[in-house]
Amino acid sequence: MPRWPNRTEDIVKGGFSTPLDAPMVPAFPFAFRGCQILTLVYRTDIEAIRALMPEPLVPTGAEVMIHIYRMTDTQRLGHYHEVNVMVGAELSGRAVGSYSPYLFLSSDIGVAHGREVHGQPKKLARPWLDFRGDLIVGGMERNGIDVLTGTMPYKQTAADIGQLQAIFPFATNLNLKAVDHIDGTPAIRQLTSRSLADVTIHECWRGPCTVELRPNAQAPIHRLPVREMLDGFFWAADFTLVPGQIIHDYLKEA
């Protein structure tokens, strides 16, 4: 019989996950290849952002990015789709990046890894990305409801990814990690930060976008209402997910 990692010295190592003989959560690093991303950018109410942002993070603007990913070849996870709703955020003197109040995936492994390791608020859903004639279309369905629909012209104006990064540094993701002990007392209350590594941009396009949000109490993206539609971006990239860092520990600060 093979011996699975059931000894204390195995369990206390980083990257450990259950089940013992078929771990759910992959260890760092792992690579994403051939990703296609439709990024919808719009302006919302700054107060709506503040209402969803955990202190001591503060918003850096009223812009919202909704990234709709087609992950075509992800190491250990395979093919899946993802929606990441981001706003600009700053932890004074420590970090500037993006905060994700909502994240949705079609991968159970992606949901588990995002929640257990990063502290991202991931839920299962059915995101999708499609090309329909001269239009790039993306959206998401959860609970049988079309929560999100976004569009952008198909590859009309060449762009640089730096134009998107200039809105706010979305490649650095700040997250609220909240985990309780079995008795209900707080075990982890942290702000974490992670940045993508080995980023290669294969193409990038820009054009006017549309964003339509439909209310859903379990996927409440509508709490960041669309006040002004800005440009969208379609881009393709490779990148690697690597370990991040703890930038604020609420329990130690308390």
Side-chain angles (χ1 to χ4, degrees):
M1 287 288 292
R3 186 191 67 79
W4 309 115
N6 60 354
R7 297 175 181 170
T8 299
E9 57 264 33
D10 301 319
I11 294 171
V12 299
K13 291 180 180 178
F16 177 81
S17 176
T18 58
L20 293 179
D21 58 343
M24 178 73 162
V25 175
F28 294 115
F30 52 98
F32 296 71
R33 304 178 184 90
C35 302
Q36 297 175 321
I37 307 105
L38 172 61
T39 300
L40 309 166
V41 186
Y42 69 91
R43 190 166 286 118
T44 191
D45 301 322
I46 191 73
E47 290 304 321
I49 295 176
R50 287 195 181 101
L52 293 170
M53 187 170 290
E55 61 178 15
L57 289 181
V58 294
T60 57
E63 292 79 15
V64 180
M65 291 184 193
I66 300 180
H67 305 281
I68 304 173
Y69 299 85
R70 176 188 282 169
M71 306 296 198
T72 60
D73 181 16
T74 304
Q75 186 180 354
R76 306 184 191 184
L77 276 72
H79 180 104
Y80 69 98
H81 287 77
E82 179 170 352
V83 165
N84 188 348
V85 181
M86 287 183 162
V87 293
E90 179 178 7
L91 179 62
S92 180
R94 297 292 305 275
V96 179
S98 62
Y99 174 73
S100 300
Y102 307 113
L103 269 161
F104 303 94
L105 288 81
S106 60
S107 164
D108 59 348
I109 299 173
V111 169
H113 187 276
R115 296 186 68 93
E116 293 181 15
V117 179
H118 299 278
Q120 295 171 323
K122 292 186 174 182
K123 288 186 173 184
L124 276 173
R126 293 181 60 191
W128 53 271
L129 181 61
D130 201 4
F131 306 100
R132 302 179 183 178
D134 61 353
L135 195 66
I136 305 172
V137 189
M140 187 190 79
E141 176 264 319
R142 181 175 159 89
N143 311 109
I145 296 172
D146 291 325
V147 178
L148 161 69
T149 303
T151 71
M152 173 186 157
Y154 184 86
K155 298 186 180 182
Q156 287 189 353
T157 304
D160 186 279
I161 198 66
Q163 298 171 8
L164 181 58
Q165 185 79 357
I167 299 172
F168 57 76
F170 66 91
T172 298
N173 195 202
L174 312 179
N175 304 287
L176 173 62
K177 185 171 182 178
V179 179
D180 279 351
H181 289 297
I182 189 63
D183 62 3
T185 58
I188 298 173
R189 295 292 188 273
Q190 298 168 344
L191 292 175
T192 69
S193 173
R194 71 103 182 100
S195 296
L196 302 177
D198 305 323
V199 179
T200 300
I201 305 297
H202 297 293
E203 59 177 321
C204 184
W205 304 87
R206 181 174 185 166
C209 73
T210 66
V211 183
E212 181 182 1
L213 305 177
R214 186 175 180 187
N216 181 319
Q218 290 291 0
I221 306 173
H222 66 280
R223 291 178 180 158
L224 296 170
V226 179
R227 299 306 184 201
E228 181 185 4
M229 297 181 192
L230 304 174
D231 278 0
F233 291 78
F234 176 76
W235 47 293
D238 302 331
F239 52 83
T240 302
L241 196 60
V242 296
Q245 59 182 320
I246 300 166
I247 58 174
H248 182 76
D249 192 312
Y250 290 91
L251 300 181
K252 290 183 178 179
E253 294 292 332

